[in-house]
Amino acid sequence: MRGLKGNIIFTKDFGKYEIFKDSYILIEDGKVKGIFDKLPEEYNQVEVKDYGDKLIIPGLVDIHLHGPQFPNIGLGLDKELMPWLETYTFPEERKYSDLEYAKKVYRKLVLELWKNGTMRSVIFASIHLEGTKLLMDVINEAGLGAYVGKVNMDRNCPDFICEDTDKSLEDTEKLLKDYGSRYERVKPIITPRFVPTCSTKLLKGLGELSRKYKVPVQSHLSENKGEIEFVKELHPEARNYASVYEAAGLLGEQPTIMAHCVLLEEEEIELLSKNKVFIAHSPNSNSNLASGIAPIRKLLKAGIPIGLASDISGGHSLSMCSVMIEAGQVSNMKWLESGKTEAPLTTPELFYLATKGSGAFFGKVGSFEEGFEFDALVIDDSDLTVLKEISLEERLQKFIYTGSWENIIERYVSGELIKEPKI
Amino acid sequence: MRGLKGNIIFTKDFGKYEIFKDSYILIEDGKVKGIFDKLPEEYNQVEVKDYGDKLIIPGLVDIHLHGPQFPNIGLGLDKELMPWLETYTFPEERKYSDLEYAKKVYRKLVLELWKNGTMRSVIFASIHLEGTKLLMDVINEAGLGAYVGKVNMDRNCPDFICEDTDKSLEDTEKLLKDYGSRYERVKPIITPRFVPTCSTKLLKGLGELSRKYKVPVQSHLSENKGEIEFVKELHPEARNYASVYEAAGLLGEQPTIMAHCVLLEEEEIELLSKNKVFIAHSPNSNSNLASGIAPIRKLLKAGIPIGLASDISGGHSLSMCSVMIEAGQVSNMKWLESGKTEAPLTTPELFYLATKGSGAFFGKVGSFEEGFEFDALVIDDSDLTVLKEISLEERLQKFIYTGSWENIIERYVSGELIKEPKI
């Protein structure tokens, strides 16, 4: 048993902060035991680290990003999805057959995740089996948590990155066998890139693997108009885009994340809701690539679990604060667009999505309720407040909107203090 | 005569980079003399500072921000304009009758402008004459350039911040007399807050002052639907919001900036174009306060001069890179909204707006053409590029999208090296 002391803030319920000023949080076996304004007598002997006036908040969770696109962040952000993939993404991703290159990039990526306080993430690697393992090794070494997927794609992509269907499935199965239970916090995830680049045979094979090994699934859905039209051409038999995944057993039979979901049809919304599929809301990416604004308020009301995502390198920043800001901004635009029917997202709602909302994909992660993994950031915001008494809630808002990674002075995952990874 | 050497990038024409790899830029009397790939023999004796592989770009220019709102950045960003003013803005602005408070805030503000590479800015102070002078003193001391306005407002605002009309005009005239030619780079500007809070008498009086002293003008125009409706109620005699300023002689008789212009009528667009009124495009603010998206492509086509603005604290960041990113993102949304008729803004277009576009309000500022003031930033982007040979153009894009103030290693205004201001 150990304890931390400070100003503790988290969201148990959507949009509502739980605030414990100057309080104790006790951790047992890496999990939250409880929060106390005074330490009960029975815990008098517990070692407590006192963080004084600093903020203690849950670690941030990013549920959709592309590891090998890290060198591309900030580049090529004036193209739409399909030409952007051709010009920037695929040529970069081919390089990850080179493990020396992969190691250099992935180490920098993991350092940046650490810096930004992203304690857990759900990641697309590349098509390369060994490169994917390496990324999992690097994340594990750093002590962070992640689901990492070997990307599958066997059609409509350049030769240099197009897989043979059987080999794609074999490599995926190898990963599941080798790395399924290798690490405590870093696990594989089935990762068909998206329908346009995956044959039905490949999708069905991946569905079987996900059932056989009970492994979660991630992919992309309804990001961009051109993409959706392409899927309709490819699958005239399907009712809609989402049902192509469903037919392959890839839509919620195991825990599933679909990134984007900007332009869902009503039937697709029902399908995702019924199957409890997570949506990875990636507002920076959707704005940068001119995809549109996902109707998050509406999707929330439909009961769909939602998390936030950087989606680098469609997104230009790994900072989940940047993602929260843009999610708020586009929710304001959506409110206008909807004739003021779909209410904007408030700051505590955004914070929930980036912590407990995203964290739910990992289980009991993203909150400080009893039994949750103790993933946490300690925030020294003393340089952010200018000459003004502000509440703890406002201090957190200021950190989100005006802070930087340098305000994060300590990071915990499952109760373990995580030091800066070496690169 | 002095010289700098490095990778020189600027935009002479809208949307087109001028790129001089590993070149010399010569400066005479604070102004650009020329750019050379090899130093001509006649300049052999000129002292050259060699910045190696670093980027040399024009200083950034912010043409609309509120100095006294600096302590509020990042706060209260889930309200619309009118309630936000009542709750956050006015109570903060009243404090600037206290010069000790004002000095502390303004010094921090100026330090942040410096950090972010904003070498010139156009600023709303508060209603307080002495506080406004003090802000001008602090900016001048730091060596930065600015127009600073004492805010005028005499109706529809809380008592504690509402001026007597005559006193408001008197104080303004005092500022023009005292500070009109006190400083080289820091000048006063006539600053009616906006129509809702300024009586016709006050507006007309300010129009007279601007003519009498040949002083430029700044205000707000058509930011928010509620605001526009309120102006219509207040001025049933006016054809539109802009014409209220015009009737008072405040719309282009002297150089004029109108902030926002999200929801202009066609006639107003013509009026601004005819009068060459600058629009301060403030996308972060317009997104944060759910105002909407200014139709920048359309306004550019109408021949209206446009600059970019942080508009703190409606905007949450003083970084002009953050403003460029959001301006690009909302231009993508506008493109979709317009049925793909109003093209998105490209990165070199955004860069132009933040340098030469904004700088034009100061005269020959924001470019490295011959005769322009040598306002410049030296960018060390070595930590931004990850294992990839990228072009100078891409390096600048990466700085904009992924850099921070720490990448700016030197700053110049009119040829003078500007050191970190003391606070």
Side-chain angles (χ1 to χ4, degrees), chain A residues 4 35 38 45 64 66 69 80 122 135 162 182 213 222 231 247 251-252 270 275 314 320 331 336 360 375 406-407:
Chain A
L4 274 62
I35 297 174
K38 275 186 185 169
Q45 301 308 313
H64 179 66
H66 293 265
Q69 293 177 25
E80 268 193 286
V122 186
L135 176 52
C162 204
R182 177 170 296 226
Y213 292 91
S222 291
V231 171
L251 201 75
E270 282 166 38
N275 293 349
M320 292 307 292
S331 80
L336 291 175
D375 289 15
E406 290 167 297
N407 295 107

Side-chain angles (χ1 to χ4, degrees), chain B residues 355-376:
Chain B
T355 54
K356 195 174 175 185
S358 290
F361 195 75
F362 288 85
K364 290 191 165 187
V365 165
S367 176
F368 292 148
E369 294 155 66
E370 194 182 337
F372 270 65
E373 299 294 321
F374 184 70
D375 289 14

Side-chain angles (χ1 to χ4, degrees), chain B residues 328-358:
Chain B
Q329 292 182 322
V330 298
S331 81
N332 290 336
M333 295 302 108
K334 197 73 189 176
W335 176 65
L336 292 175
E337 202 183 292
S338 69
K340 306 200 175 179
T341 58
E342 296 179 31
L345 297 171
T346 65
T347 309
E349 288 177 339
L350 296 167
F351 187 68
Y352 177 97
L353 293 178
T355 54
K356 195 174 175 185
S358 290

Side-chain angles (χ1 to χ4, degrees), chain B residues 130-252:
Chain B
E130 294 308 319
T132 305
K133 289 181 182 173
L134 189 145
L135 176 52
M136 295 177 75
D137 297 338
V138 171
I139 298 171
N140 179 69
E141 202 184 318
L144 303 181
Y147 285 104
V148 179
K150 186 208 100 54
V151 170
N152 306 95
M153 50 202 288
D154 69 344
R155 64 173 178 179
N156 298 316
C157 42
D159 282 350
F160 58 75
I161 206 171
C162 204
E163 296 179 291
D164 169 76
T165 310
D166 292 327
K167 176 76 162 55
S168 180
L169 292 168
E170 276 162 31
D171 280 357
T172 304
E173 187 156 17
K174 277 185 196 157
L175 182 71
L176 303 185
K177 281 183 174 166
D178 262 26
Y179 275 65
S181 44
R182 177 170 296 225
Y183 299 128
E184 181 92 8
R185 293 179 203 152
V186 185
K187 303 281 182 187
I189 181 167
I190 297 282
T191 306
R193 181 165 216 120
F194 65 158
V195 170
T197 62
C198 298
S199 69
T200 300
K201 184 181 167 193
L202 179 58
L203 291 175
K204 284 195 191 295
L206 292 170
E208 278 163 28
L209 288 176
S210 80
R211 275 191 299 279
K212 181 172 169 190
Y213 292 91
K214 297 205 180 312
V215 179
V217 173
Q218 65 178 343
S219 194
H220 299 92
L221 177 62
S222 291
E223 177 174 359
N224 170 289
K225 216 172 155 190
E227 169 211 8
I228 294 169
E229 281 161 14
F230 190 29
V231 170
K232 287 202 167 142
E233 276 173 40
L234 292 167
H235 294 276
E237 81 288 357
R239 296 175 68 87
N240 49 50
Y241 191 163
S243 68
V244 181
Y245 291 120
E246 193 195 24
L250 289 167
L251 201 78

Side-chain angles (χ1 to χ4, degrees), chain A residues 71-74 76 78 80 92 104-105 284 287-288 316 326 329 332 335 347 387-388 397-398 401 406, chain B residues 71-74 76 78 80 92 104-105 284 287-288 316 326 329 332 335 347 387-388 397-398 406:
Chain A
N72 276 345
I73 55 167
D78 34 30
E80 268 193 286
E92 179 63 31
K104 283 178 190 158
V105 173
N284 269 325
S287 295
N288 288 334
H316 58 274
E326 183 66 7
Q329 291 184 322
N332 290 336
W335 176 66
T347 309
L387 294 165
K388 213 177 144 143
Q397 193 178 27
K398 253 202 189 271
Y401 275 91
E406 290 167 297
Chain B
N72 276 344
I73 55 169
D78 34 30
E80 270 194 286
E92 179 63 31
K104 283 179 191 159
V105 173
N284 269 326
S287 295
N288 288 335
H316 58 275
E326 182 66 7
Q329 292 182 322
N332 290 336
W335 176 65
T347 309
L387 294 165
K388 212 179 144 139
Q397 193 178 27
K398 254 202 188 272
E406 289 166 297

